[in-house]
C-alpha cells in the first residue's frame, strides 16, 4: 500500500511537471525563442502557447520594448590633443528576437563597445571647441553608424545622445576666464552704446531747445520791432495831423535841455542856433500872441499865457544852471590836467543867464 501511494504521488508530480512544461504563457511585448532538442524550433508570441514536454525548451526571453542604456564616461582625445570625458545614452529596441539571440552572444556589450569606438573616431577628428558645439552632428553620426552595424543583429538604434563632455580642469578654468572676459567685453560695449545713445539724445534735446529758444527770441524781436514801428508811426501820424507850431517844439526842447546836460560824460555843451531862434519865437509869441497873423490864441490860451511864460523861464534857468556846472567841471579838469597852470591866451568863459538864452539873437553859442 505504501509503495502504491508513493507511485501514485510520483505519477501525479510527473503529470503536473509535464503540464507546466507543456503550457507557456508569454506576456505582452516579449518573445520567447524555443529550441527542440537544441535546434531553433519557433518563437512564442504573447499569450498562451503549448510546448512538447521534455523536448521543447525556451532558449531566451527577449524584451521587445525600447530600452535605454547609459554608458560610463569614456576618455576621448580630440584633434588638438586634449583628453575629454564623454557620457553617452543609447536608445534601442529589438526588432528580431531570433537574430538577436543567435547572431551575437551579448548584443548590449557589443553596442557599448561599438559606441565607444565610433565616438573616439568622431571626436578625434574635431577640436575641443567644435566638439562642444557640434553635439547634434556627433549624435547623427553615431546613430547612423550604430544603426547600420546593429541592423544585422536584429536591433534598431533609435537615438544616441551625448549626456556630458567634460574637459580637463585646467581647460575648464581657462574657458571660464574666457567666458567671463567675453561677458565683461559685452557689458562694456553695451554700457558704451547706452552712454553714446544718451549723449546723442541729450545733444539732440539741447539742439532742439536752442532752436526753439532762438525761434522764440526771433519772434519776440519781430513782435517788439513791429510794436515800436507801429508806435513811431502812430506818433508821427499824430504829430502831422496836429501840425504843431514852432513855439510848441521850442517849449519841448527847453524841457529836454536839463536831461541832455545831466550826463556824467558831458564836458562840452553846444547851444544850437535853433534853440535861440526857438526862444526868440517863444518870446515873441508870449509878448504878442494876439497880434500874430494866422495864430490867434483862444481865450483859454490867453489865460494860461502867464503859466507858459513861467514854465519857459524855469526851463531856461535850469538849462543855464546845468551849463554853468558843466563849465565849472571843465575848468577843474583843465586845472588838474595842467597842474594848476591854466593855458595862456584862453579867456575865461562868460556865465550864461536865462535872459540871454531868451533874448540873444546870435546864430549859435558854445560854452566849454
Amino acid at each position: 500500500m505504501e509503495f502504491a501511494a508513493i507511485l501514485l504521488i510520483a505519477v501525479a508530480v510527473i503529470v503536473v511537471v509535464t503540464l507546466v512544461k507543456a503550457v507557456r504563457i508569454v506576456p505582452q511585448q516579449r518573445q520567447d525563442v524555443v529550441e527542440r532538442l537544441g535546434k531553433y524550433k519557433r518563437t512564442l508570441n504573447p499569450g498562451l502557447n503549448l510546448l512538447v514536454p521534455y523536448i521543447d525548451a525556451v532558449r531566451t526571453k527577449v524584451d521587445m520594448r525600447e530600452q535605454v542604456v547609459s554608458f560610463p564616461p569614456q576618455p576621448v582625445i580630440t584633434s588638438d590633443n586634449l583628453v575629454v570625458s564623454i557620457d553617452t545614452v543609447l536608445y534601442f529596441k529589438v526588432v528580431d528576437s531570433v537574430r538577436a539571440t543567435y547572431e551575437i552572444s551579448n548584443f548590449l556589450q557589443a553596442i557599448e563597445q561599438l559606441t565607444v569606438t565610433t565616438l573616439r573616431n568622431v571626436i578625434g577628428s574635431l577640436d575641443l571647441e567644435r566638439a562642444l558645439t557640434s553635439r547634434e552632428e556627433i549624435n547623427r553620426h553615431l546613430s547612423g553608424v550604430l544603426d547600420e552595424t546593429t541592423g544585422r543583429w536584429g536591433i534598431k538604434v533609435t537615438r544616441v545622445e551625448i549626456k556630458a563632455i567634460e574637459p580637463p580642469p585646467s581647460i575648464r578654468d581657462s574657458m571660464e576666464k574666457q567666458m567671463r572676459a567675453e561677458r565683461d567685453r559685452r557689458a562694456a560695449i553695451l554700457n558704451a552704446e547706452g552712454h553714446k545713445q544718451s549723449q546723442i539724445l541729450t545733444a539732440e534735446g539741447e539742439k532742439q531747445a536752442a532752436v526753439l529758444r532762438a525761434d522764440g527770441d526771433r519772434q519776440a524781436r519781430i513782435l517788439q520791432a513791429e510794436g515800436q514801428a507801429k508806435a513811431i508811426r502812430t506818433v508821427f501820424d499824430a504829430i502831422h495831423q496836429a501840425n504843431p507850431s514852432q513855439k510848441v517844439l521850442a517849449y519841448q526842447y527847453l524841457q529836454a535841455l536839463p536831461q541832455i546836460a545831466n550826463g556824467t560824460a558831458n564836458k562840452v555843451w553846444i547851444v544850437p542856433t535853433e534853440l535861440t531862434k526857438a526862444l526868440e519865437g517863444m518870446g515873441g509869441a508870449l509878448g504878442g500872441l494876439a497880434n500874430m497873423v494866422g495864430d490867434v490864441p483862444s481865450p483859454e490860451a490867453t489865460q494860461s499865457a502867464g503859466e507858459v511864460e513861467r514854465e519857459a523861464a524855469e526851463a531856461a534857468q535850469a538849462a543855464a544852471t546845468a551849463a554853468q556846472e558843466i563849465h565849472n567841471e571843465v575848468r577843474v579838469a583843465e586845472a588838474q590836467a595842467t597842474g594848476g597852470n591854466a593855458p595862456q591866451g584862453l579867456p575865461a568863459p562868460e556865465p550864461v543867464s536865462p535872459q540871454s538864452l531868451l533874448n540873444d539873437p546870435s546864430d549859435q553859442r558854445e560854452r566849454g
Side-chain angles (χ1 to χ4, degrees):
M1 294 294 294
E2 294 180 358
F3 178 76
I6 293 172
L7 181 61
L8 184 60
I9 293 173
V11 171
V13 170
I14 292 172
V15 171
V16 172
V17 172
T18 301
L19 291 176
V20 170
K21 287 182 175 294
V23 177
R24 175 70 62 176
I25 298 176
V26 179
Q28 186 66 31
Q29 291 294 327
R30 199 184 78 179
Q31 289 182 352
D32 293 349
V33 178
V34 178
E35 294 180 349
R36 177 171 291 180
L37 299 177
K39 183 180 178 180
Y40 170 73
K41 177 62 178 176
R42 65 192 177 102
T43 301
L44 301 181
N45 294 319
L48 180 62
N49 296 274
L50 297 177
L51 300 177
V52 178
Y54 307 107
I55 296 176
D56 294 340
V58 176
R59 169 69 183 271
T60 56
K61 299 176 181 179
V62 181
D63 192 351
M64 305 301 293
R65 295 174 296 179
E66 186 172 1
Q67 303 180 40
V68 181
V69 180
S70 179
F71 300 136
Q74 299 294 328
V76 181
I77 301 176
T78 62
S79 61
D80 49 357
N81 298 324
L82 292 176
V83 179
V84 295
S85 179
I86 300 179
D87 296 345
T88 55
V89 179
L90 180 66
Y91 298 83
F92 71 95
K93 66 183 298 184
V94 178
V95 294
D96 192 342
S97 59
V98 177
R99 286 190 295 174
T101 303
Y102 293 103
E103 293 292 337
I104 189 169
S105 61
N106 190 345
F107 63 85
L108 188 59
Q109 184 180 2
I111 292 175
E112 179 182 358
Q113 295 301 321
L114 182 60
T115 302
V116 172
T117 55
T118 306
L119 187 63
R120 288 178 178 176
N121 186 24
V122 174
I123 298 297
S125 60
L126 304 175
D127 56 6
L128 178 60
E129 184 175 358
R130 188 177 176 187
L132 292 174
T133 58
S134 303
R135 294 193 177 189
E136 291 295 333
E137 181 181 354
I138 297 172
N139 293 337
R140 287 195 302 267
H141 194 278
L142 285 174
S143 180
V145 172
L146 292 174
D147 189 34
E148 181 181 359
T149 304
T150 59
R152 64 177 181 268
W153 300 339
I155 298 172
K156 174 66 176 178
V157 177
T158 58
R159 189 176 183 85
V160 180
E161 291 289 342
I162 295 179
K163 186 165 58 175
I165 299 178
E166 296 292 338
S170 59
I171 301 299
R172 288 200 301 268
D173 294 340
S174 300
M175 293 173 63
E176 290 178 0
K177 292 180 181 179
Q178 181 181 1
M179 183 59 65
R180 190 179 301 111
E182 180 68 19
R183 291 180 178 177
D184 292 340
R185 183 182 67 86
R186 292 179 182 177
I189 291 174
L190 292 177
N191 190 13
E193 288 290 338
H195 185 67
K196 174 184 176 183
Q197 292 295 330
S198 176
Q199 294 292 331
I200 290 174
L201 294 177
T202 302
E204 290 180 354
E206 292 178 353
K207 174 184 175 183
Q208 293 180 1
V211 170
L212 293 176
R213 284 195 296 269
D215 186 68
D217 188 36
R218 181 178 65 87
Q219 293 293 335
R221 290 176 182 270
I222 291 174
L223 294 177
Q224 185 178 4
E226 290 178 354
Q228 292 179 354
K230 289 182 181 180
I232 294 173
R233 190 180 300 111
T234 302
V235 173
F236 184 78
D237 293 341
I239 291 173
H240 279 272
Q241 290 177 3
N243 193 15
S245 62
Q246 186 178 6
K247 295 177 286 298
V248 176
L249 296 177
Y251 178 68
Q252 293 293 330
Y253 197 86
L254 280 175
Q255 288 182 340
L257 281 179
Q259 298 179 1
I260 296 174
N262 196 24
T264 57
N266 294 332
K267 298 303 180 181
V268 179
W269 186 32
I270 305 298
V271 180
T273 305
E274 290 77 1
L275 175 61
T276 57
K277 291 182 178 180
L279 294 176
E280 290 177 358
M282 182 178 290
L286 294 175
L289 291 175
N291 297 325
M292 294 182 63
V293 178
D295 193 6
V296 179
S298 60
E300 291 80 3
T302 303
Q303 294 176 1
S304 61
E307 296 179 0
V308 171
E309 183 177 0
R310 285 193 301 273
E311 291 180 0
E314 292 176 357
Q317 181 64 34
T321 303
Q324 186 63 36
E325 291 178 356
I326 291 172
H327 291 321
N328 296 334
E329 292 178 0
V330 169
R331 299 303 296 175
V332 171
E334 290 178 355
Q336 293 178 356
T338 58
N341 298 323
Q344 300 295 327
L346 294 176
E350 297 179 358
V352 180
S353 62
Q355 190 65 25
S356 63
L357 291 174
L358 293 172
N359 298 329
D360 192 0
S362 61
D363 293 337
Q364 182 178 358
R365 291 183 179 86
E366 180 179 353
R367 296 295 183 266

